Amino acid sequence: LSLRFPQKLWKMLESGKFQSIWWSEGGKCVAINKDLFEMEVLGREGQQVFHTKKIKSFMRQLNAYGFIKVQRNFQRSASLPEFLAEEAAASAHSQILYYYNPSFNRDHPMLLETCKRR
């Protein structure tokens, strides 16, 4: 049984087997640690989850199914030490990509059927 891209993605998120991809924003967004995802998921030998080894191809699949990239907004502190600490955290956080699709929601698995390729 071959699953469509959204079903594969859903199963991956629900499995808890991967550290590079998880539900965020209360199950409304998919969070992906780009570098770790490339090694952990796309770089797997023998047990490929998706039919690609390239992050750009994976992101094109997300776009084809109506996922949109969302930006994370960070509030900045006024004090220099706090600001520098926040900058360091934001820099590490920049490896994290967030994608949203209204038909892809952890709390509403029945919507998955409406997640169609454009």
Side-chain angles (χ1 to χ4, degrees), residues 1-62:
L1 180 67
S2 180
L3 296 175
R4 293 181 325 128
F5 179 82
Q7 281 90 355
K8 287 181 187 179
L9 185 60
W10 182 279
K11 284 184 73 119
M12 174 180 269
L13 288 161
E14 290 294 304
S15 76
K17 293 179 183 176
F18 300 93
Q19 295 178 357
S20 60
I21 186 167
W22 61 94
W23 289 107
S24 109
E25 302 298 315
K28 292 181 172 71
C29 288
V30 176
I32 303 165
N33 179 318
K34 185 176 164 256
D35 292 343
L36 186 56
F37 187 81
E38 285 181 288
M39 289 186 316
E40 183 184 46
V41 178
L42 301 178
R44 291 175 77 153
E45 293 298 324
Q47 294 182 302
Q48 271 191 293
V49 179
F50 300 102
H51 298 292
T52 185
K53 290 182 178 271
K54 297 184 175 141
I55 191 75
K56 288 209 182 281
S57 297
F58 177 78
M59 290 169 20
R60 271 196 294 277
Q61 280 285 87
L62 286 169

Side-chain angles (χ1 to χ4, degrees), residues 99-115:
Y99 284 90
Y100 170 77
N101 182 323
S103 298
F104 199 86
N105 186 312
R106 180 181 58 204
D107 297 332
H108 301 284
M110 62 288 214
L111 288 176
L112 195 56
E113 287 305 313
T114 65
C115 192

